[in-house]
Amino acid sequence: MSHPIIAHVSQLDATGDLGTTLPDGRTIFMVRVHGRISAFENRCPHQGVDLDGGTDTFLEGGRELIQCSRHGALFLPENGECVFGPCQGRMLTSLPISIDGAGNIRLSSQ
Ligand code: FES
């Protein structure tokens, strides 16, 4: 089974976050916090809208937590749990990824 490449780790070097669109049309984003890369659907659990509001920015200023640009809600990068804001306690949809030896980020399953 082939796991599609969705990005390269170097694309996260500048800001630690990156948004992209999957071939099936879903918008997703990746973040790298303390060296760990995680990926989520770009959709807030409480309003069903994109988190970045078109800004392509997914981390707060400290680059440690995912932030909704619309409401300032904060989410844990390790599991997508909302820890502050209108959707507190709810989860972003996490996407399983793997990173191959060449630094390609691959979607493990859909
Ligand atoms: S859209 Fe849900 S916290 Fe902003």
Side-chain angles (χ1 to χ4, degrees), residues 44-51 68-73 75 82 85-87:
C44 179
H46 96 282
Q47 287 194 338
V49 297
D50 60 331
L51 285 174
C68 172
S69 65
R70 302 171 189 273
H71 307 98
F75 303 82
C82 181
C87 49

Side-chain angles (χ1 to χ4, degrees), residues 73-89:
L74 296 170
F75 303 82
L76 299 178
E78 51 267 39
N79 63 5
E81 179 185 356
C82 181
V83 292
F84 172 81
C87 49
Q88 190 162 346

Side-chain angles (χ1 to χ4, degrees), residues 36-99:
R36 182 182 187 276
I37 296 175
S38 49
F40 300 93
E41 290 190 11
N42 185 6
R43 185 164 40 85
C44 179
H46 96 282
Q47 287 194 338
V49 297
D50 60 331
L51 285 174
D52 65 315
T55 64
D56 205 29
T57 297
F58 298 92
L59 290 173
E60 45 73 43
R63 322 307 291 171
E64 298 217 338
L65 293 167
I66 297 162
Q67 184 171 50
C68 172
S69 65
R70 302 171 189 273
H71 307 98
L74 296 170
F75 303 82
L76 299 178
E78 51 267 39
N79 63 5
E81 179 185 356
C82 181
V83 292
F84 172 81
C87 49
Q88 190 162 346
R90 298 176 70 179
M91 311 287 288
L92 297 173
T93 301
S94 173
L95 297 169
I97 56 169
S98 60
I99 300 169

